[in-house]
Every structure is written in C-alpha cells, then in structure tokens.
C-alpha cells in the first residue's frame, strides 16, 4: 500500500515537472543555426472575450493560462478572438549577430510585440494592416521586428495579435543576413510569377485591341484581378499599392478575389460559348456571379464597418470554392459536347482547383501551414494562366483554320458562280439574238400599226371638231332657251315688291329648268304657284312653258280665281295640249298654288301632290295636296283638287317647294336629305329674316352636297304675310 502511494506521488511529481518544463521551454539562439521555426516553442492564450491587457499579462496573472503549441504553425481558422503569445529566448550567439522576429502572415490588423529589458520593463513595437507602411521598423511585406540584445542573452517576448482574418501564426526567428537572402529569393520568385501574369495580361490585351473579341477583354480583367488578389494575399499589395489607403488595403484581398471570380465567370461564358452548348450551365454560372457581387458589396462595406471584415474574409474563401465548383463541371459538360477549347480550360481549372482546395484547407486549419500550402493558390494560378493562354492560342489557331477553310470555300463558290455566270451569259447572248430578230419583225408590224393609228387619230380629230361645233350650237340654243324661260318667269324684284319679306331659292340642275314659279294679281287677289314639271333640262323647260301659258289663259283670260278650279282646268289643258288621251304621253307636273285675298283676310291653297307648309307663332303646320299630278291619264276618271281656305294672319310664314331639295344625295353616308330633315330646317329658320333664310338654305345644301353632283332642279319659295 505504501509502495503504491509512493509510486503515485513520484509519477505526479514527474508529470508536473515535465509540464512546467514544457511551458518554460526556451529557444536558444546559436551561431550555427540561422533560422528557427518557433511554432512548437510558443505559449498561447486565446482571449475570446478580448479583455486581457498587457499589464495583466506581465504581472503573471495569466501565466497558468498559457498553453504550449504542439504544431509548427498554430492555426485557429476564423475564430473571433485575440491572441497572446509568450516566447522564452536565450541568445547565445555573438554580439555581432542581429536577429529578427518575423510573422509571414501578412493579413493581421494589429500586432504588438513587447521585448523585455534588463530592468524588467518592456519595449513595445506596434504594426499591422491598419498601420501606415512607413511606420514599420523593418520595411518589408511581412511583419518583422528586431530583437534587442540583453546582457545575459535571456528575455521574455510577448506578442498580441488582433484582427478579422484567418488565424494562422507562422512565427520565425531569423538571423539578419539569412533574412536578407531569403527576402531576395522570395522577391525574385514572386517577381517572376507576377511577371508571368503581367505578360499574359499585356499579350491578351493586345489581342483584344486587334481582334475586338470580348473573350480576350474578360481574360485580361480576370488575370489582372487575380494578380492584384495574389499581391494582396502575399503582402506586396500593401507594400507597393495600397499603403496610403489602409482601410482598403485591409479588405483588398477579399475585394479582388470577388472580382476574379466575377470576371472568370464572364470569361468562361464566352471562351466556352456556354449559352450555345448548355442552358443548364448558362444559368449555373449566375451562382458565382451573384455571390461575387455580394462579396464586393460586403468587402467595400468593411471599409467603414469593421464587423463586416471578418464575414467578408470567410466569404472570400467560399467565393473561390463556389467558382471552382461551378467552373469545373461547366468545363467537363462543354468538353463532353466536343468543344476543343474546353480541353485546355478543364486542365487549367483543375490545376487552380487543387491550389484553391489546399489553400482553403490550410486557412481552415485542416492542413498545416508551410511554404507549399501558402503558395498553393499562386502555383495553381500560374499553371492555370499558362494553360489558358495555350488554350487562347489554340483558339486563335482554330479560328485561323476555320477562316482559311471559309476563305477556300468562298473562293470555290466564287469560281463556281463565275462558271455559272459564264454559261448563263452564253445562253443569254443566244436568247438576245433570237429576241432581237423577233423584235425587228415586231417593229415592222408596229410601224404599220402606227400608220393606221395616225390615220384613225386624224379621223377622230376631225370628228371631235365636228362634235365640238355641234355642241356649241346646241349650247347656244339652250342658252337662248334659258333667256326665253327667264323672260316668262316673274322677276324676283316684282315678287319682293309684292311680298316684302320673301325669298326664292332657284337652282336649275342644267342651263334651263323643269321647275318654275309664277305670280299674277287679279280682282284684288294675289296668286302664286310653285311647280315641278316632269324631267329637267330642255324637256322640263318645255313643260314649264306649257304650264305658264295655260296659267295665263286660265287666270288672266278666263278669270278663274278658285285655287282648286285653277288646278282642275290646268290638268285639262295639259292633257289636251299633249293629246294624252290618244297617246302614251304621261308628262305633267306637281304644283302648289295659293290665292291671297287681303280684303277677306283669307288664304286658299290647292296642291297637286305637293303640300303647303306654314308657321304661325313658332307652330309648324302642313296642309297636304291631293295625290293627283297635273297631266297624265287618270285611272279613276276626272281629277278633283281640293280648295283649302285658312285665315290670313300677320307674320305667317309660308313655304312652297319642289322635291329637289329633299331628294338631293350627299352627307357623310351619301344618302338623301329627306323630308323630315328639310321640315326641321324650315322650322328652325322661320323666325329669321328672309335674306338670312335664303343664305342658310344655300349654305346647308352646299355642305350637304360637297362633291356630289346635283340630281334635280331645286326650287324653294318662302313668303312672310
């Protein structure tokens, strides 16, 4: 029992000693070794609450919280925390040796290093992405701090790191000359790699200006963005380009990674003709494009809002992953459709894919950090750039071959067309000769026909002259008949003298008219009539002359003054004058006749098919005539015409008219004016002066007819008693 107790005490003491020994392990600097990877010699506190101060650290309050690192490069991925590192150093090298503490992790917002002095106080150096480049003690892309000498060579160094970045801490202690040589080699290597990118950009930019193809432009933008992203990741961007714009330098790697993916997607679309080959991959490419635009916005927002930087840093890695995971299947799918450019594209993106996967796994602490994992994405990018350039060159070669084939095909086609044209010309020449012979024969026939036409033309000209002469004679005769007709009609001045308020609208269709008006005064009675004879023009004019002569005989010679009797005797006279009982002649006339007796203050009216319209105090009245015309053969024997007697009143407006006005065609639908519209018009103008009424009737008819030909004689008479 005592033996077991002693054994337990011994083992506990041993492990406690080993633990304390591990925590207090020093780094001894010798003259022989020039560079020390100190990852496994680090003691680390992960300050997730971000509240531990240096005063608390140097006081020893948290000495028991330090944990020894077990890896060469501590990797905490994207853990949101501050980190304290403790380094025990024993410098046994010569006094001439100078040593540097170097962090090759270039994306650190703030890094502070505290070197212990002889008196126990500490010397502080501060640097980081958020500090001006000129404030660095050692002007270098990495964070490099000179280690001060102490009298006994022993000292404790504390390092505090803070920032929104992937948390890898590759600390190295390196001798001054070794550091200079390593920096020179690194700068030379990176210069060569960046030079390859720049050469690709310039070469393809020249191709773009030469060929004017957007494929080369997007390739230039893709390579240019990739170059800037690599410079930002390796610290050269901060050193050479963005050292005066610290907030942008802090997010530059995320920003340019997003641009790289965006332009890579656009290049993929055009280089592989994705839309032509596959609708699925065409829409799939929207995923990295949308994500990259989102990352651009988030990273730029991080310039002003610090909390967005960590999110953008995480998103940048996934943006590259999403791009590669879409671009590779796209290349495979297009390659399987037989696209030759997809072969180079697929190999190039496979190389980059491997580099990106290794880099992302390193950032997420799955793979260790070393020179290969740090440079994996750059190596893959250079390989991709070279392979894509070969693909672009092959594309030019393919296009040149296709152009030569197209040119040869065009030349062959032109030769065939030339032979075809030659054959066609021969055929055409033969046909032209045949047609020329036919045309000459036709010309002889045409000349004979022209002679016949000329003879017929001369005959027609003579006939035309004869017809014009005869027409002039007929027109002269009709004009003379017009003068005779006007002489037989009562003068309008006489009508206006008898009836002060009156008008006569008289518009013959031809030179002479079949409509007529007539007036006489006998035994103190005023007799006025409006008549519409059968036909118009010369036939109608003859009938009007018969009617006027018969009215003179019946009224002025035989003293008949009853309106009905006048029409009765006029009917007999027309039938007798035209011998209608023994012939087939049916000509005659429609008539309205009034007899005014001013002494008895009465008005007699009789009508042969035509009515009398009169308006008193705005009231419209109409008296219809008998349905018998004047003249023609009556099937019912003798004709009677009623005599209507109405009181004679002052300001009574009387209208008598033929059917020419209401039967005239016109208007928007080329229809008759109609009786209803005519009566409405008379009612509307009845209270106006007679001159105004005449003007309105003429204007209304002109508007109604427009370009329509007048179909019949028009006669309207109005008298105000």
């Amino acid at each position: 029992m005592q033996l077991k107790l002693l054994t337990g005490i011994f083992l506990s003491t041993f492990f406690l000693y080993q633990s304390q020994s591990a925590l207090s392990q020093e780094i001894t600097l010798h003259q022989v070794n020039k560079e020390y990877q100190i990852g496994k010699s680090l003691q680390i506190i992960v300050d997730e609450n971000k509240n531990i101060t240096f005063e608390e650290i140097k006081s020893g309050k948290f000495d028991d919280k330090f944990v020894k690192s077990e890896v060469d490069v501590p990797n905490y991925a994207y853990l949101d925390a501050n980190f304290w590192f403790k380094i025990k150093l024993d410098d046994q090298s010569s006094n001439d040796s100078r040593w540097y503490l170097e962090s090759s992790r270039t994306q650190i917002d703030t890094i502070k290093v505290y070197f212990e002095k002889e008196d126990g106080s500490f010397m502080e150096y501060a640097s980081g992405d958020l500090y001006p480049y000129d404030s660095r003690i050692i002007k270098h892309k990495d964070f490099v701090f000179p280690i001060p000498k102490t009298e006994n060579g022993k000292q404790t160094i504390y390092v505090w790191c803070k920032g929104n970045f992937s948390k890898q801490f590759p600390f190295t202690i390196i001798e001054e000359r070794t550091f200079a040589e390593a920096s020179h080699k690194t700068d030379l290597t990176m210069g060569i790699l960046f030079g390859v990118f720049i050469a690709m950009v310039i070469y393809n930019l020249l191709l773009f200006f030469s060929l004017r193809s957007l494929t080369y432009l997007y390739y230039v933008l893709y390579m240019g963005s990739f170059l800037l992203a690599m410079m930002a990741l390796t610290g050269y961007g901060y050193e050479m380009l963005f050292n005066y714009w610290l907030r942008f330098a802090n997010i530059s790697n995320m920003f340019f990674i997003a641009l790289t993916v965006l332009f890579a997607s656009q290049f993929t679309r055009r280089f592989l003709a994705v839309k032509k080959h596959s609708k699925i991959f065409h829409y799939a490419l929207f995923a990295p494009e949308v994500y990259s635009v989102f990352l651009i916005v988030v990273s730029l927002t991080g310039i002003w809002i610090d909390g967005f930087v960590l999110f953008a840093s995480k998103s940048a890695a996934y943006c590259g992953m999403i791009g590669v995971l879409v671009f590779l299947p796209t290349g495979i799918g297009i390659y399987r459709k037989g696209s030759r450019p997809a072969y180079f594209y697929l190999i190039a993106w496979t190389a980059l894919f491997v580099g990106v996967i290794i880099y992302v796994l390193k950032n997420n602490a799955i793979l260790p950090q070393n020179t290969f994992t740090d440079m994996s994405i750059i190596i893959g990018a250079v390989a991709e750039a070279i392979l894509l350039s070969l693909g672009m060159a092959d594309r030019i070669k393919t296009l040149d071959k296709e152009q030569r084939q197209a040119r040869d095909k065009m030349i062959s086609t032109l030769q065939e067309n030339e032979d075809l044209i030659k054959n066609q010309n021969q055929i055409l020449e033969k046909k032209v000769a045949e047609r020329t012979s036919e045309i000459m024969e036709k010309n002889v026939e045409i000349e004979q026909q022209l002679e016949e036409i000329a003879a017929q033309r001369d005959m027609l000209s003579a006939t035309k002259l004869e017809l014009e002469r005869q027409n002039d004679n007929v027109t002269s005769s009709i004009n003379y008949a017009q003068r005779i007709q006007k002489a037989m009609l009562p003068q309008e001045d006489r009508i206006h003298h008898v009836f002060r308020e009156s008008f006569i609208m008289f518009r013959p269709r031809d030179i002479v008219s079949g409509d007529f008006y007539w007036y006489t005064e006998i035994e103190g009675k005023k007799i006025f009539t409006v008549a519409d004879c059968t036909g118009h023009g010369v036939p109608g004019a003859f009938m009007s002359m018969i009617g006027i002569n018969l009215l003179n005989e019946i009224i002025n010679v035989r003293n008949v003054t009853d309106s009905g009797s006048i029409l009765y005797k006029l009917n007999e006279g027309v039938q007798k004058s035209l011998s209608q009982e023994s012939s087939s002649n049916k000509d005659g006339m429609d008539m309205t006749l009034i007899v005014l007796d001013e002494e008895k203050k009465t008005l007699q009216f009789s009508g042969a098919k035509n009515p009398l319209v009169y308006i008193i105090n705005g009231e419209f009245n109409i008296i219809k005539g008998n349905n018998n015309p004047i003249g023609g053969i009556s099937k019912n024997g003798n004709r009677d015409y009623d005599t209507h007697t109405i009181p004679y009143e002052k300001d009574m407006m009387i209208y008598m008219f033929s059917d020419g006005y209401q039967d005239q065609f016109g208007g928007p639908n080329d229809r008759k004016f109609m009786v209803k519209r005519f009566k409405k018009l008379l009612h509307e103008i009845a209270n106006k002066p007679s001159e105004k009424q005449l003007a309105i009737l003429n204007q209304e008819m002109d508007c109604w007819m427009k370009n329509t030909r007048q179909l019949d004689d028009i006669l309207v008479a109005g008298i105000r008693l």
Side-chain angles (χ1 to χ4, degrees), residues 381-396:
V382 172
E384 185 211 30
I386 294 172
L387 290 168
L388 283 179
S389 293
L390 292 175
M392 299 285 278
D394 182 75
R395 186 170 184 267
I396 294 174

Side-chain angles (χ1 to χ4, degrees), residues 22 75 230 244 246 274 281 344 371 493 500 620 627:
N75 191 336
M230 294 303 100
Y244 293 106
L246 301 179
V274 175
F281 291 120
F344 293 93
T371 302
D493 292 343
R500 298 290 182 184
F620 185 89
N627 196 27

